[in-house]
Amino acid sequence: MKRAVQQTTRDLRRHNRSTLLSSLYLQGPLSRQDLIKESGLSSATVSNVVSDLIGDGVVEEAGLVGSDGGRPRTLIRVRGDFGRVVGVDIGETHVQIGLFDYTLDTITTATYPIAGISLEPEAVARLVVAGIDQVTAEVGLNPADLLGVGVGVPGAVATAAHELVYAPTLGWSAAPLADLMRRDVSVPLYIDNCARTLGKAEMWRGAGRGSSRAVVALIGVGVGAAVTTAADPLRDATSMTSEWGHTVINVDGRPCRCGSRGCLEAYVGAETILEDYLSLPGARSFESDHTERRLAELVERAAQGPGPEAEILGRTAKYLGIGIANLVNLLSPDLVVLSGWAGAMLGPAILPAVRDTATRHALTYLHGQVRIKLGELGTEAVAMGAATLPVMQVLANGGFPLQRATA
């Protein structure tokens, strides 16, 4: 009986720490009075828990804020230096490893182009481990001192027994990627679909802040999307639209690599855009053979005036706008965010045309309540999204670091 009571007390303490820490992380800085209102916990409980969190180095006092006719209130915020996390973006053109502080401020990144090299899971796992070693060595950090590692992959992750990755675009079927990495990673490691994790990052720290229901679209070589809500932002984003790129926008359209025809990805994926451009009269060859650099070159040329470059960007905006209109009609979000590396490159040039097309094809009463914005997280957006995985686990654990997950 005593053991059960101790367990219940420990669980209650962890729950209360998690509740307050999560509020501070997502909404802070907040005062103790704000936390009482937000959590519904008693003044004494909030005071005790905040004191514990300060003593453990998880949060800190962050100045004073005035109150209506009363004494100034002390603000509390999460400490970025509480710990470091790594986020890994496994894409089709590169693998990027980012080192972040606990509040997801970027410390350093390492990016490895992978076009034209083996994408076998074993080779990718070795590359990720080398990248973790590189970014931690740059700041003199022992990799064993990380709070955890999150990995975003362009596919589905089955978690029944082991995290098996199904990523047709990489040629992977039931790839045991997590187990392969855990051989050399001594801290907790988590893996999930990159569109889902990117959605959390945009809601927590990017363009999705303040939105109640956002669709975050990841545009790269492939095209994906995830729905995120503010109702319970610590939960995983739903994956109901993660294969948005394989919704059909032209029933008799061009073949898609998924085996179907007329998919959105077959018109707005980065490599398709480049191929379509080179087929136009007057198109000029590229100086680089790297997909990302070629797309950047195309956007720079389009900015110089009318020509095949501007024509292909206009066509891309039309198809992307139709795809977004479909999302609006189906899901009625209040926000659509264009993110991902190709979205970041293309977005400033095509956003007005995308909005115009979406307006014409979405139902009026639905489109009137939706905003279409560019992502705000920069080139490391997907890696930052992956880093939300260990951050979320530590939040749920009340600020107590977790033990390494077993393989």
Side-chain angles (χ1 to χ4, degrees), residues 33-54:
Q33 290 81 0
D34 294 329
L35 290 170
I36 292 169
K37 295 176 183 178
E38 179 74 22
S39 67
L41 297 173
S42 70
S43 174
T45 298
V46 169
S47 180
N48 290 335
V49 171
V50 168
S51 294
D52 284 348
L53 291 171
I54 291 175

Side-chain angles (χ1 to χ4, degrees), residues 11 15 30 49 86 94 97 109 114 131 146-147 185 187 201 217 240 255 260 284 320 328 403 407:
D11 291 344
H15 171 77
L30 298 172
V49 171
V86 161
H94 66 254
I97 295 88
T109 62
I114 58 175
L146 292 167
L147 293 175
V185 175
V187 297
M240 70 172 68
S260 183
R284 294 175 286 164
L320 190 54
V328 171
Q403 300 297 313

Side-chain angles (χ1 to χ4, degrees), residues 112 230 256 291:
Y112 305 100
C256 178
T291 300

Side-chain angles (χ1 to χ4, degrees), residues 176-226:
L177 183 65
D179 286 354
L180 292 171
M181 289 186 289
R182 286 194 181 107
R183 296 172 183 173
D184 299 297
V185 175
S186 61
V187 297
L189 183 145
Y190 312 93
I191 186 168
D192 202 348
N193 173 268
C194 56
R196 287 158 52 94
T197 57
L198 175 61
K200 278 202 290 292
E202 287 286 2
M203 289 294 281
W204 289 8
R205 292 289 181 264
R209 287 173 295 182
S211 169
S212 60
R213 182 176 177 82
V215 175
V216 179
L218 192 161
I219 314 295
V221 172
V223 177

